[in-house]
Amino acid sequence: MSIRDNLDISAYLVLGPENTLGRPVPDIVAQALDAGFTCVQVRSKVAGAREIIDLTGQVARVIAKTGKTGQVALLIDDRLDCALAAREQGIAVDGVHVGQSDIPVEVCRKLLGPDSIVGLSARCDEMLEYVKTADMSLVDYLGVGPLHETATKRDCGRAADGSIITKSFEDLSELHAASPVPIVVGGGVKVADLPALKATGVDGFFVVSAVCGEPDPHAAAKELVDTWNRA
């Protein structure tokens, strides 16, 4: 049984060293896991390859220490090279998360193998069309957003007037109905959004600053998880 078979993206943490207010990445991950988070993605636009591999190793050790290796998926954003290099060093990394303009999912799947996880982000405005036309058998889940404008994701789609294209709950319900794979939604997600978000039928939420930018990451993470589970 591979982690692909029991992938849980209900509470999904995305982070890099630039998101943690100077606190160590593994410490934030440990607090989030203790609060019930189910998936971790190492994502950094400032760290080099070696730092990303090292961070991934640190996070893998945190996951192992909590006894959740094989339950909590550990993914690297965008950097297939880092995922392969980390594995070469014996780090338990489960896969990658890529965007439509990154390395093609076919290549990720071929090089990572059938038991790895490949997640995909597509631009909001294109996602429904993508789901209906693409070969979804190579993808384990879709990352969709932003729900709101957010400082951690400045490269999302923009409308003709320059405004950021966000996802409404109606859009998400439609996307959930059309998608053969699970969907996780992020981009400025707050506790107050979670009941309406869960009502769309999507499988989870992802956050950066709602945990990493909080004074007490554990309390913030627990409130998110508890609210999602109760909704």
Side-chain angles (χ1 to χ4, degrees):
M1 179 115 153
S2 76
I3 195 158
R4 279 188 87 183
D5 302 314
N6 57 5
L7 176 63
D8 184 347
I9 52 171
S10 59
Y12 187 137
L13 182 67
V14 179
L15 80 171
E18 64 265 45
N19 307 126
T20 59
L21 307 181
R23 298 168 293 191
V25 165
D27 289 5
I28 305 289
V29 171
Q31 292 181 62
L33 293 183
D34 188 62
F37 266 67
T38 61
C39 190
V40 181
Q41 180 193 127
V42 174
R43 179 181 88 187
S44 178
K45 302 304 177 193
V46 299
R50 289 197 172 203
E51 190 182 353
I52 289 173
I53 294 163
D54 183 49
L55 276 173
T56 304
Q58 292 174 39
V59 173
R61 285 191 288 278
V62 170
I63 293 172
K65 210 163 158 184
T66 59
K68 291 180 175 174
T69 304
Q71 294 167 41
V72 168
L74 172 57
L75 308 172
I76 297 178
D77 178 58
D78 188 17
R79 298 295 301 265
L80 176 62
D81 56 338
C82 293
L84 293 168
R87 280 194 176 171
E88 199 61 33
Q89 293 179 20
I91 296 167
V93 58
D94 297 299
V96 293
H97 181 93
V98 292
Q100 274 183 308
S101 57
D102 299 327
I103 295 171
V105 290
E106 296 81 2
V107 177
C108 296
R109 175 61 66 214
K110 183 179 177 185
L111 293 178
L112 288 168
D115 294 334
S116 298
I117 292 164
V118 178
L120 177 71
S121 294
R123 291 206 2 208
C124 301
D125 45 330
E126 299 163 355
M127 187 65 97
L128 194 58
E129 190 53 36
Y130 184 85
V131 162
K132 290 174 176 171
T133 55
D135 175 7
M136 299 297 289
S137 66
L138 300 170
V139 177
D140 293 290
Y141 72 89
L142 293 174
V144 182
L147 193 64
H148 308 293
E149 285 196 49
T150 169
T152 56
K153 197 88 176 111
R154 297 216 177 270
D155 56 349
C156 39
R158 289 184 181 269
D161 64 358
S163 62
I164 290 185
I165 300 169
T166 55
K167 273 299 195 213
S168 71
F169 293 118
E170 293 76 17
D171 294 337
L172 293 168
S173 295
E174 190 183 358
L175 195 55
H176 165 69
S179 177
V181 298
I183 290 173
V184 62
V185 178
V189 169
K190 306 278 187 297
V191 168
D193 297 316
L194 295 182
L197 188 59
K198 195 168 188 180
T200 66
V202 299
D203 301 85
F205 63 90
F206 69 85
V207 292
V208 184
S209 38
V211 170
C212 302
E214 289 296 314
D216 185 341
H218 183 274
K222 189 157 181 6
E223 189 182 8
L224 287 160
V225 171
D226 290 350
T227 304
W228 178 264
N229 290 340
R230 275 199 311 269

